[in-house]
Amino acid sequence: MTMSVVVEDQVVSLGKELRRGTAKEHTRSLHVARKTAELLRICVSTSRALSPQELIVEVRQVEKRLAKEQPLAFAVGNIVRRVIKFVRDEELAEQQKHQLEGEETGSS
């Protein structure tokens, strides 16, 4: 899967901020975490992924691009891991919901 044009532009923009790193605002962990979360929100909402695994692959692609720009920005990896956890939790909840529906249908 490839990133959408909007996400690609946002990744490039945040990557430039991380690489520049001269202004304190751009290197603070809170700023990096917020920008990363905003970027991943856009990535998830514009994704055309058909499965949670495909979505996770897209999120990982964003992480790799940002890590290449600033390897020491640990906030990027932390936020990415949280987003992936949310995706997996939603997948698990959906599976459990379908499992319960199947049991109710089977016992009726």
mmCIF file of all heavy atoms in Angstrom, residues 40 44 52 55-60 63 77-91:
data_model
loop_
_atom_site.group_PDB
_atom_site.id
_atom_site.type_symbol
_atom_site.label_atom_id
_atom_site.label_comp_id
_atom_site.label_asym_id
_atom_site.label_seq_id
_atom_site.Cartn_x
_atom_site.Cartn_y
_atom_site.Cartn_z
ATOM 1 N N LEU A 40 -0.684 10.736 12.010
ATOM 2 C CA LEU A 40 -1.220 9.374 11.988
ATOM 3 C C LEU A 40 -2.750 9.375 11.955
ATOM 4 O O LEU A 40 -3.354 8.485 11.358
ATOM 5 C CB LEU A 40 -0.693 8.577 13.171
ATOM 6 C CG LEU A 40 0.807 8.281 13.107
ATOM 7 C CD1 LEU A 40 1.262 7.572 14.364
ATOM 8 C CD2 LEU A 40 1.146 7.462 11.880
ATOM 9 N N VAL A 44 -4.666 7.346 9.123
ATOM 10 C CA VAL A 44 -5.695 6.335 9.386
ATOM 11 C C VAL A 44 -7.018 6.725 8.730
ATOM 12 O O VAL A 44 -7.696 5.900 8.129
ATOM 13 C CB VAL A 44 -5.865 6.124 10.912
ATOM 14 C CG1 VAL A 44 -7.092 5.294 11.220
ATOM 15 C CG2 VAL A 44 -4.621 5.472 11.486
ATOM 16 N N PRO A 52 -6.891 -4.588 9.098
ATOM 17 C CA PRO A 52 -6.048 -3.943 10.115
ATOM 18 C C PRO A 52 -4.557 -4.139 9.835
ATOM 19 O O PRO A 52 -3.751 -3.241 10.093
ATOM 20 C CB PRO A 52 -6.463 -4.636 11.414
ATOM 21 C CG PRO A 52 -7.825 -5.138 11.159
ATOM 22 C CD PRO A 52 -7.871 -5.480 9.704
ATOM 23 N N LEU A 55 -3.408 -1.575 7.391
ATOM 24 C CA LEU A 55 -3.336 -0.274 8.051
ATOM 25 C C LEU A 55 -2.070 -0.172 8.895
ATOM 26 O O LEU A 55 -1.381 0.853 8.888
ATOM 27 C CB LEU A 55 -4.578 -0.040 8.910
ATOM 28 C CG LEU A 55 -4.666 1.302 9.611
ATOM 29 C CD1 LEU A 55 -4.615 2.452 8.621
ATOM 30 C CD2 LEU A 55 -5.942 1.371 10.441
ATOM 31 N N ILE A 56 -1.737 -1.236 9.593
ATOM 32 C CA ILE A 56 -0.516 -1.259 10.410
ATOM 33 C C ILE A 56 0.715 -1.091 9.521
ATOM 34 O O ILE A 56 1.651 -0.374 9.875
ATOM 35 C CB ILE A 56 -0.446 -2.549 11.253
ATOM 36 C CG1 ILE A 56 -1.512 -2.490 12.365
ATOM 37 C CG2 ILE A 56 0.940 -2.766 11.832
ATOM 38 C CD1 ILE A 56 -1.690 -3.775 13.133
ATOM 39 N N VAL A 57 0.703 -1.714 8.352
ATOM 40 C CA VAL A 57 1.822 -1.570 7.415
ATOM 41 C C VAL A 57 1.970 -0.105 6.994
ATOM 42 O O VAL A 57 3.079 0.434 6.952
ATOM 43 C CB VAL A 57 1.628 -2.483 6.178
ATOM 44 C CG1 VAL A 57 2.603 -2.136 5.072
ATOM 45 C CG2 VAL A 57 1.780 -3.935 6.573
ATOM 46 N N GLU A 58 0.851 0.560 6.717
ATOM 47 C CA GLU A 58 0.905 1.974 6.333
ATOM 48 C C GLU A 58 1.453 2.838 7.465
ATOM 49 O O GLU A 58 2.275 3.731 7.240
ATOM 50 C CB GLU A 58 -0.480 2.473 5.939
ATOM 51 C CG GLU A 58 -0.944 1.974 4.602
ATOM 52 C CD GLU A 58 -2.272 2.571 4.190
ATOM 53 O OE1 GLU A 58 -2.559 3.732 4.549
ATOM 54 O OE2 GLU A 58 -3.030 1.867 3.497
ATOM 55 N N VAL A 59 1.014 2.562 8.680
ATOM 56 C CA VAL A 59 1.485 3.330 9.839
ATOM 57 C C VAL A 59 2.981 3.101 10.024
ATOM 58 O O VAL A 59 3.738 4.040 10.300
ATOM 59 C CB VAL A 59 0.681 2.956 11.103
ATOM 60 C CG1 VAL A 59 1.309 3.535 12.356
ATOM 61 C CG2 VAL A 59 -0.770 3.416 10.971
ATOM 62 N N ARG A 60 3.424 1.879 9.840
ATOM 63 C CA ARG A 60 4.858 1.567 9.968
ATOM 64 C C ARG A 60 5.676 2.292 8.891
ATOM 65 O O ARG A 60 6.816 2.697 9.131
ATOM 66 C CB ARG A 60 5.099 0.067 9.873
ATOM 67 C CG ARG A 60 4.573 -0.706 11.049
ATOM 68 C CD ARG A 60 5.675 -0.971 12.015
ATOM 69 N NE ARG A 60 5.180 -1.859 13.060
ATOM 70 C CZ ARG A 60 5.517 -1.723 14.318
ATOM 71 N NH1 ARG A 60 6.330 -0.773 14.686
ATOM 72 N NH2 ARG A 60 5.044 -2.538 15.219
ATOM 73 N N GLU A 63 6.226 5.678 10.092
ATOM 74 C CA GLU A 63 7.229 5.652 11.158
ATOM 75 C C GLU A 63 8.643 5.573 10.577
ATOM 76 O O GLU A 63 9.542 6.293 11.006
ATOM 77 C CB GLU A 63 6.993 4.468 12.088
ATOM 78 C CG GLU A 63 8.042 4.333 13.166
ATOM 79 C CD GLU A 63 7.924 3.053 13.970
ATOM 80 O OE1 GLU A 63 7.389 2.049 13.456
ATOM 81 O OE2 GLU A 63 8.385 3.055 15.121
ATOM 82 N N GLY A 77 8.207 6.933 17.625
ATOM 83 C CA GLY A 77 8.013 5.495 17.841
ATOM 84 C C GLY A 77 6.982 5.203 18.912
ATOM 85 O O GLY A 77 6.183 4.274 18.782
ATOM 86 N N ASN A 78 6.980 6.004 19.980
ATOM 87 C CA ASN A 78 6.011 5.798 21.060
ATOM 88 C C ASN A 78 4.582 6.009 20.567
ATOM 89 O O ASN A 78 3.689 5.209 20.870
ATOM 90 C CB ASN A 78 6.303 6.745 22.227
ATOM 91 C CG ASN A 78 7.601 6.416 22.925
ATOM 92 O OD1 ASN A 78 8.112 5.313 22.813
ATOM 93 N ND2 ASN A 78 8.142 7.391 23.626
ATOM 94 N N ILE A 79 4.366 7.066 19.819
ATOM 95 C CA ILE A 79 3.020 7.351 19.310
ATOM 96 C C ILE A 79 2.597 6.288 18.297
ATOM 97 O O ILE A 79 1.452 5.832 18.307
ATOM 98 C CB ILE A 79 2.951 8.765 18.690
ATOM 99 C CG1 ILE A 79 3.246 9.830 19.753
ATOM 100 C CG2 ILE A 79 1.613 9.015 18.024
ATOM 101 C CD1 ILE A 79 2.271 9.849 20.915
ATOM 102 N N VAL A 80 3.515 5.877 17.450
ATOM 103 C CA VAL A 80 3.198 4.833 16.459
ATOM 104 C C VAL A 80 2.787 3.550 17.159
ATOM 105 O O VAL A 80 1.797 2.910 16.784
ATOM 106 C CB VAL A 80 4.397 4.595 15.510
ATOM 107 C CG1 VAL A 80 4.221 3.315 14.708
ATOM 108 C CG2 VAL A 80 4.570 5.784 14.583
ATOM 109 N N ARG A 81 3.509 3.161 18.198
ATOM 110 C CA ARG A 81 3.152 1.942 18.932
ATOM 111 C C ARG A 81 1.760 2.061 19.549
ATOM 112 O O ARG A 81 0.992 1.094 19.559
ATOM 113 C CB ARG A 81 4.198 1.632 19.997
ATOM 114 C CG ARG A 81 5.422 0.942 19.423
ATOM 115 C CD ARG A 81 6.331 0.400 20.506
ATOM 116 N NE ARG A 81 6.903 1.441 21.352
ATOM 117 C CZ ARG A 81 7.953 2.179 21.019
ATOM 118 N NH1 ARG A 81 8.534 1.995 19.856
ATOM 119 N NH2 ARG A 81 8.420 3.095 21.846
ATOM 120 N N ARG A 82 1.429 3.224 20.065
ATOM 121 C CA ARG A 82 0.091 3.418 20.648
ATOM 122 C C ARG A 82 -0.997 3.290 19.586
ATOM 123 O O ARG A 82 -2.028 2.671 19.809
ATOM 124 C CB ARG A 82 -0.010 4.782 21.319
ATOM 125 C CG ARG A 82 0.710 4.848 22.627
ATOM 126 C CD ARG A 82 0.613 6.238 23.216
ATOM 127 N NE ARG A 82 1.361 6.318 24.444
ATOM 128 C CZ ARG A 82 0.853 6.738 25.586
ATOM 129 N NH1 ARG A 82 -0.393 7.126 25.650
ATOM 130 N NH2 ARG A 82 1.588 6.785 26.666
ATOM 131 N N VAL A 83 -0.758 3.883 18.424
ATOM 132 C CA VAL A 83 -1.752 3.813 17.342
ATOM 133 C C VAL A 83 -1.926 2.367 16.893
ATOM 134 O O VAL A 83 -3.057 1.894 16.701
ATOM 135 C CB VAL A 83 -1.347 4.723 16.164
ATOM 136 C CG1 VAL A 83 -2.203 4.457 14.942
ATOM 137 C CG2 VAL A 83 -1.447 6.188 16.576
ATOM 138 N N ILE A 84 -0.839 1.642 16.754
ATOM 139 C CA ILE A 84 -0.926 0.236 16.345
ATOM 140 C C ILE A 84 -1.676 -0.573 17.402
ATOM 141 O O ILE A 84 -2.481 -1.441 17.068
ATOM 142 C CB ILE A 84 0.482 -0.335 16.066
ATOM 143 C CG1 ILE A 84 1.029 0.290 14.785
ATOM 144 C CG2 ILE A 84 0.460 -1.855 15.973
ATOM 145 C CD1 ILE A 84 2.466 -0.058 14.480
ATOM 146 N N LYS A 85 -1.458 -0.271 18.655
ATOM 147 C CA LYS A 85 -2.193 -0.956 19.724
ATOM 148 C C LYS A 85 -3.685 -0.684 19.606
ATOM 149 O O LYS A 85 -4.507 -1.587 19.751
ATOM 150 C CB LYS A 85 -1.692 -0.533 21.102
ATOM 151 C CG LYS A 85 -2.404 -1.269 22.238
ATOM 152 C CD LYS A 85 -1.915 -0.840 23.577
ATOM 153 C CE LYS A 85 -2.539 -1.574 24.738
ATOM 154 N NZ LYS A 85 -3.880 -2.035 24.603
ATOM 155 N N PHE A 86 -4.061 0.565 19.320
ATOM 156 C CA PHE A 86 -5.481 0.890 19.134
ATOM 157 C C PHE A 86 -6.080 0.114 17.969
ATOM 158 O O PHE A 86 -7.201 -0.398 18.061
ATOM 159 C CB PHE A 86 -5.681 2.387 18.887
ATOM 160 C CG PHE A 86 -5.396 3.253 20.081
ATOM 161 C CD1 PHE A 86 -4.803 4.491 19.926
ATOM 162 C CD2 PHE A 86 -5.707 2.846 21.368
ATOM 163 C CE1 PHE A 86 -4.533 5.312 21.009
ATOM 164 C CE2 PHE A 86 -5.440 3.638 22.465
ATOM 165 C CZ PHE A 86 -4.855 4.879 22.287
ATOM 166 N N VAL A 87 -5.334 0.003 16.876
ATOM 167 C CA VAL A 87 -5.811 -0.748 15.714
ATOM 168 C C VAL A 87 -6.020 -2.207 16.084
ATOM 169 O O VAL A 87 -7.057 -2.806 15.769
ATOM 170 C CB VAL A 87 -4.830 -0.613 14.524
ATOM 171 C CG1 VAL A 87 -5.205 -1.566 13.398
ATOM 172 C CG2 VAL A 87 -4.793 0.830 14.021
ATOM 173 N N ARG A 88 -5.066 -2.793 16.777
ATOM 174 C CA ARG A 88 -5.183 -4.204 17.176
ATOM 175 C C ARG A 88 -6.321 -4.410 18.179
ATOM 176 O O ARG A 88 -7.035 -5.416 18.105
ATOM 177 C CB ARG A 88 -3.860 -4.696 17.761
ATOM 178 C CG ARG A 88 -2.804 -4.855 16.702
ATOM 179 C CD ARG A 88 -1.525 -5.421 17.255
ATOM 180 N NE ARG A 88 -0.555 -5.617 16.181
ATOM 181 C CZ ARG A 88 0.727 -5.426 16.301
ATOM 182 N NH1 ARG A 88 1.235 -5.065 17.465
ATOM 183 N NH2 ARG A 88 1.534 -5.611 15.288
ATOM 184 N N ASP A 89 -6.499 -3.467 19.109
ATOM 185 C CA ASP A 89 -7.596 -3.560 20.075
ATOM 186 C C ASP A 89 -8.952 -3.507 19.367
ATOM 187 O O ASP A 89 -9.874 -4.248 19.711
ATOM 188 C CB ASP A 89 -7.517 -2.443 21.115
ATOM 189 C CG ASP A 89 -6.393 -2.660 22.114
ATOM 190 O OD1 ASP A 89 -5.808 -3.771 22.148
ATOM 191 O OD2 ASP A 89 -6.086 -1.696 22.860
ATOM 192 N N GLU A 90 -9.069 -2.636 18.374
ATOM 193 C CA GLU A 90 -10.320 -2.544 17.613
ATOM 194 C C GLU A 90 -10.580 -3.827 16.830
ATOM 195 O O GLU A 90 -11.712 -4.292 16.748
ATOM 196 C CB GLU A 90 -10.292 -1.347 16.659
ATOM 197 C CG GLU A 90 -10.500 -0.035 17.349
ATOM 198 C CD GLU A 90 -11.847 0.060 18.033
ATOM 199 O OE1 GLU A 90 -12.877 -0.282 17.420
ATOM 200 O OE2 GLU A 90 -11.872 0.473 19.210
ATOM 201 N N GLU A 91 -9.518 -4.390 16.264
ATOM 202 C CA GLU A 91 -9.657 -5.654 15.532
ATOM 203 C C GLU A 91 -10.134 -6.763 16.479
ATOM 204 O O GLU A 91 -11.046 -7.525 16.148
ATOM 205 C CB GLU A 91 -8.332 -6.043 14.897
ATOM 206 C CG GLU A 91 -8.382 -7.372 14.167
ATOM 207 C CD GLU A 91 -7.025 -7.806 13.656
ATOM 208 O OE1 GLU A 91 -5.992 -7.349 14.180
ATOM 209 O OE2 GLU A 91 -7.002 -8.642 12.730
#
